[in-house]
Amino acid sequence: MTCTFCQIIDRKMPAEIVYEDEDLVAFRDINPDAPVHLLIVPRTHIDTLNSLDETTAGIAAKMVLAAKRMAELYKIESGYRLIINCGRGAGQIIFHLHMHLMGGWGRRPARP
Ligand code: 5GP
Ligand code: ZN
């Protein structure tokens, strides 16, 4: 079965995409746990953080920098969390590497 996030990246499934570049796509989490809750996802299918190695770890730096830019765009740079769940024991349910960007507590849901 095809991966949910690969389907979103390929526009075969709908999602509210808020950012994309040659390496990454970011979209709103369908079930947000914060007023701003975005998922930052590499275009390449990588199942978990455990699969990164020296040749592929550069994508993690790109995800962090994209998160920083998105935090500025959504005006949550004064307080946000980045979370990568790795493995079922940590609650990972989508086995396509992704970073949660969460913030905006204490104010109404924001759009850029
Ligand atoms: P995980 O627990 O794997 O780190 O988080 C996966 C996240 O993906 C969850 O927060 C969940 O709400 C979100 N999610 C799952 N399916 C979809 C979907 O089809 N579309 C969107 N936009 N988010 C999804
Ligand atoms: Zn995938």
Side-chain angles (χ1 to χ4, degrees):
M1 208 181 79
T2 314
C3 162
T4 302
F5 287 178
C6 282
Q7 289 188 53
I8 289 173
I9 291 163
D10 292 342
R11 303 292 210 276
K12 290 178 179 146
M13 252 186 77
E16 197 174 339
I17 293 174
V18 295
Y19 173 82
E20 56 186 326
D21 62 28
E22 61 180 358
D23 301 307
L24 302 173
V25 175
F27 47 88
R28 287 183 177 274
D29 196 294
I30 203 168
N31 185 21
D33 284 325
V36 176
H37 188 169
L38 305 179
L39 300 171
I40 298 167
V41 183
R43 287 188 184 277
T44 304
H45 182 92
I46 300 165
D47 58 353
T48 80
L49 188 69
N50 285 340
S51 295
L52 290 183
D53 60 23
E54 284 74 9
T55 62
T56 54
I59 196 67
K62 289 177 178 171
M63 291 164 74
V64 171
L65 287 175
K68 187 189 92 162
R69 284 198 296 273
M70 298 304 294
E72 289 165 356
L73 188 64
Y74 280 78
K75 299 183 174 37
I76 58 169
E77 68 270 31
S78 65
Y80 60 91
R81 290 183 190 153
L82 302 180
I83 296 169
I84 297 177
N85 295 320
C86 183
R88 288 185 207 287
Q92 185 175 4
I93 54 168
I94 302 286
F95 281 77
H96 180 134
L97 179 64
H98 56 280
M99 175 181 283
H100 299 252
L101 167 60
M102 301 165 78
W105 303 280
R107 63 169 169 75
R108 296 175 60 189
R111 291 179 184 268

